[in-house]
């Protein structure tokens, strides 16, 4: 994750920008930079490494100016060098950016053909040139930003500073968060309220697709269609807390909404975006080709991430996978072969059952790889290889963003295995990686289903039981949907492989029973439709989660259809997780349970 800050101040801002960046350092710290405007001219200081390096740079070469932007970076496109550090600038505009510009390659080629000279490997630099080209065509800064935003694809947040415009900052949000801070005669932009806490506690949050034009006295927010909109100001509690809820009622809601951003950052850690290849950050101490079997163990939601991964490893790498609930693994005396690989998945990295399984695998001389969200955790420390998920702190007890980040890491790992074992060609890899790069944007689109899901949740909140069905990689998403709903709303829910319905659970179906069917239009779609028919014939109320093709081709009357965009079938688990999480969240919110700390549960389960 990168951190963004902007200040329209009444005194020199460089030191204040660095102060704010220090509070955002948890988001990234491989390089940092600030840009300010001095007598209308853009000036920039950037440095590789932690913020202290930038501080030193500013001591040696101070940067005057009362308006400026700053950035702390977590490398995505391009290595952590000074050239790749933000702000990126031309002589007309400087920009800081958090997120991924999906179509930067096409834009870069187009801009190079127009004569633009690039000095970095980043996707961000295309934004600076794009806006500059629009300015050169005679557009105002506002018009230039509006025209440029329409050409960008991806999930991101941006802040712009313009040469000659001493009373202007522009910010934009699509997928990644951006807050506006209101000071006395000053205005601010920040990735979160924590960054702005030293200056103000009055903030408002841009909604997805919004962009804002700030002067010292005015704030104009526009939506994605450039229509002026109002975004309420709230009093932030950020100064008192390290992690705040933003403008969400619960941490769980905030964490669901953070997914485009954190999944993007996680993917960027494992993918070479320029060449659309998987680039694992660490060497594997084993040869993928020599593995006979992969064993995966985890608990709860992390187990379901492993279940999705089983489909991927078997399909992409033709590697047989055994998957266990961690509490079962070491007691069933499974024959294990020395030198094989065991993967352990855990958000906290402290789950006792998972840790015990890991130690059991080590005793049997398996290579141990963990996918964890807390890199200092015991599971991470005890592993041969650690593949971190970059979800940031997950506060809500029900896991959401950690789950989709686990899927992101596991997808990359399965592709790497497929390549190493000769089962995927370079072109196959590119196709799979390309689909993954689109996930943050697809997740942002999935989040737009929220108003529809809120209405549906009122209905769900009145039921006692809910069934979830899915086939293929949608089966684990059905299991995850049921787990999410039961743990936070206390409504009884079960997930089933859709084909299993007729082997028992069909007896439960009556006109009161909601049946949530996760069915993207993939190669098993027709089979799932047959299973839906079995439900419909018995009067069950179907809630179908599908895509435009699926909703067109399903001949069954569903009580509700949630339509997600078309996407490659390999990435559906990451995107379909979003509506499933929102259904559970809003149902629990209607019922009024303690969403972030549901009864009887703990975030880190350190007992067996
Ligand atoms: C459910 C949930 C739990 C955890 C499980 C494993 O929403 O959060 O099922 O997934 O307790 O925890 P970690 O991932 O910390 O090992």
């Amino acid at each position: 994750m990168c951190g963004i800050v902007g200040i329209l101040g009444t005194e020199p801002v460089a030191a204040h920008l660095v102060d704010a960046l220090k509070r955002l350092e948890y988001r990234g710290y491989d390089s940092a930079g600030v840009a300010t405007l001095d007598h209308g001219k853009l000036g920039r200081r950037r440095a590789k490494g932690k913020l202290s390096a930038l501080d030193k740079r500013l001591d040696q070469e101070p940067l005057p100016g009362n308006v400026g932007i700053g950035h702390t970076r977590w490398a995505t496109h391009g290595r952590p060098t000074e050239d790749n550090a933000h702000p990126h600038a031309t002589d007309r505009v400087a920009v800081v950016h958090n997120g991924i510009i999906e179509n930067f390659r096409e834009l870069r080629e187009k801009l190079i053909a127009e004569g633009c000279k690039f000095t970095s490997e980043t996707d961000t630099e295309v934004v600076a040139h794009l806006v500059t080209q629009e300015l050169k065509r005679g557009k105002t800064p506002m018009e230039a930003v509006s025209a440029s935003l329409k050409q960008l694809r991806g999930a991101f947040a941006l802040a712009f500073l313009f040469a000659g415009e001493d009373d202007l900052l522009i910010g934009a949000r699509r997928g990644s968060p951006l807050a506006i801070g209101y000071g006395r005669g000053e205005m601010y932009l920040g990735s979160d309220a924590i960054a702005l806490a030293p200056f103000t506690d009055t903030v408002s949050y841009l909604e997805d697709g919004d962009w804002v034009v700030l002067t010292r006295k005015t704030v104009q927010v526009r939506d994605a269609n450039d229509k002026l909109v109002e975004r309420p100001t709230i009093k932030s509690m950020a100064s008192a807390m390290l992690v705040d809820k933003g403008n969400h009622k619960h941490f769980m809601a905030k964490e669901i909404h953070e997914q485009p951003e954190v999944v993007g950052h996680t993917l960027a850690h494992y993918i070479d975006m320029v060449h659309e290849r998987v680039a694992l950050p660490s060497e594997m101490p084993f040869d993928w080709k020599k593995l006979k079997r992969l064993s995966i163990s985890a608990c709860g939601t992390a187990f379901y991430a492993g279940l999705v991964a089983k489909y991927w490893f078997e399909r992409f790498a033709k590697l047989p996978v055994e998957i266990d609930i961690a509490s079962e693994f070491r007691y069933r005396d499974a024959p294990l072969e020395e030198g094989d690989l065991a993967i352990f998945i855990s958000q906290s990295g402290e789950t006792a059952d998972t840790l015990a399984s890991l130690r059991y695998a080590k005793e049997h001389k398996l290579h141990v790889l963990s996918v964890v969200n807390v890199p200092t955790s015991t599971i991470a420390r005890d592993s041969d290889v650690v593949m971190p998920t970059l979800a940031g702190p997950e506060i809500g007890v029900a896991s959401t963003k950690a789950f989709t980040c686990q899927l992101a890491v596991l997808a990359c790992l399965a592709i790497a295995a497929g390549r190493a074992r000769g089962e995927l060609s370079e072109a196959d890899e590119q196709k799979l990686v390309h689909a993954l790069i689109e996930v943050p944007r697809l997740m942002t689109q999935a989040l737009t289903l929220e108003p529809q899901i809120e209405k549906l949740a009122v209905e769900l909140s009145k039921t006692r039981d809910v069934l979830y069905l899915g086939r293929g990689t949608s089966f684990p998403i059905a299991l995850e949907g049921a787990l999410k709903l039961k743990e936070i709303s206390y409504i009884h829910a079960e997930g089933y492989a859709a084909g299993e319905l007729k082997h028992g659970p069909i007896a439960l179906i009556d006109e009161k029973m909601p049946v949530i069917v996760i069915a993207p239009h993939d190669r098993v779609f027709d089979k799932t439709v047959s299973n839906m028919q079995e439900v419909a014939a018995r009067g069950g109320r179907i809630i179908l989660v599908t895509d435009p093709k699926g909703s067109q081709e399903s001949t069954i009357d569903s009580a509700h259809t949630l339509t997600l965009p078309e996407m490659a079938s390999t990435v559906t688990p990451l995107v379909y997780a979003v509506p499933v999480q929102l259904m559970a969240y809003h149902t629990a919110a209607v019922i009024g349970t303690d969403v972030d700390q549901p009864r009887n549960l703990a975030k880190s389960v350190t007992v067996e």
Side-chain angles (χ1 to χ4, degrees), residues 217-236:
K217 292 212 180 85
T218 61
V219 176
Q220 276 191 345
V221 183
R222 287 166 202 273
D223 65 12
N225 300 318
D226 295 346
K227 210 173 112 231
L228 278 174
V229 283
E230 294 281 329
R231 299 296 174 221
T233 56
I234 55 168
K235 286 276 166 208
S236 148

Side-chain angles (χ1 to χ4, degrees), residues 254-545:
K254 177 180 175 246
E255 287 157 6
I256 291 173
H257 282 262
E258 274 174 356
Q259 290 179 110
E261 189 191 14
V262 295
V263 167
H265 284 291
T266 302
L267 286 170
H269 195 64
Y270 293 93
I271 286 176
D272 168 352
M273 299 278 180
V274 179
H275 301 100
E276 300 194 325
R277 296 190 49 220
V278 170
L280 297 182
S282 36
E283 280 282 309
M284 296 295 148
F286 53 83
D287 180 351
W288 285 108
K289 275 201 237 112
K290 295 210 173 110
L291 297 182
K292 293 206 186 65
R293 194 173 47 170
L294 167 62
S295 139
I296 302 180
S297 310
C299 302
T301 290
F303 171 75
Y304 298 145
L307 203 48
V308 174
K310 173 182 164 77
Y311 288 80
W312 286 335
F313 276 106
E314 293 188 342
R315 179 151 341 139
F316 303 161
K318 304 281 175 288
L319 180 58
V321 176
E322 279 208 1
I323 171 147
D324 280 88
I325 291 169
S327 54
E328 291 294 317
F329 176 63
R330 70 202 159 117
Y331 296 114
R332 70 181 174 86
D333 293 329
L336 301 172
E337 188 141 343
E338 188 177 330
D340 264 346
L341 174 65
I343 296 184
F344 300 88
I345 309 161
S346 174
Q347 185 286 127
S348 62
E350 300 296 346
T351 301
D353 288 320
T354 312
L355 180 60
S357 301
L358 181 153
R359 289 181 173 154
Y360 179 81
K362 268 187 129 172
E363 274 164 33
H364 287 78
K365 302 204 167 36
L366 272 75
H367 297 289
V368 165
L369 181 152
S370 64
V371 178
V372 290
N373 199 38
V374 182
T376 50
S377 60
T378 318
I379 289 181
R381 278 185 277 121
D382 277 16
S383 302
D384 302 324
V385 188
V386 183
M387 299 267 131
T389 47
L390 308 180
E394 191 179 65
I395 311 295
V397 162
S399 188
T400 51
K401 60 176 183 169
F403 173 65
T404 44
C405 286
Q406 284 160 357
L407 291 178
V409 174
L410 291 163
C412 293
L413 208 54
I415 295 170
R419 280 291 279 149
R421 289 167 69 84
E423 298 294 341
L424 293 178
S425 67
E426 200 179 317
D428 294 334
E429 177 181 21
Q430 259 189 353
K431 205 164 144 206
L432 290 166
V433 169
H434 189 83
L436 280 172
I437 294 173
E438 295 194 339
V439 165
R441 174 177 53 84
L442 293 164
M443 285 179 145
T444 307
Q445 285 175 256
L447 286 165
T448 62
L449 292 175
E450 192 157 22
Q452 202 186 337
I453 293 174
E454 272 184 79
K455 285 196 199 121
L456 172 64
V458 176
E459 244 179 76
L460 286 177
S461 69
K462 294 178 190 140
T463 57
R464 284 196 39 199
D465 307 279
V466 180
L467 269 187
Y468 286 73
L469 303 179
R471 273 178 184 261
T473 50
S474 298
F475 164 47
I477 301 304
L479 292 169
E480 170 62 1
L483 175 62
K484 267 322 63 114
L485 186 72
K486 66 185 140 195
E487 71 175 325
I488 59 170
S489 74
Y490 315 145
I491 292 172
H492 171 241
E494 298 296 338
Y496 275 97
E500 266 294 286
L501 185 73
K502 53 190 172 298
H503 300 291
I506 200 161
L508 294 169
I509 306 284
D510 62 18
E511 53 293 338
K512 285 198 225 89
M513 171 76 98
V515 181
I516 298 174
V517 186
I518 317 294
H521 193 279
D522 56 13
R523 60 185 185 161
V524 287
F525 178 75
D526 292 342
K527 304 269 174 225
T528 312
V529 170
S530 311
N531 303 130
M532 282 200 303
Q533 234 131 20
E534 295 156 11
V535 175
R538 285 152 187 92
R541 276 169 48 213
I542 295 170
I543 297 159
L544 176 61
V545 190

Side-chain angles (χ1 to χ4, degrees), residues 30-34 45-55 57 81-82 85-86:
D30 61 45
S31 56
V34 292
R45 301 287 180 270
R46 300 178 295 167
K48 186 179 163 202
K50 294 212 167 210
L51 269 170
S52 47
L54 178 65
D55 242 346
R57 189 75 216 285
T81 60
E82 183 172 330
H86 300 217

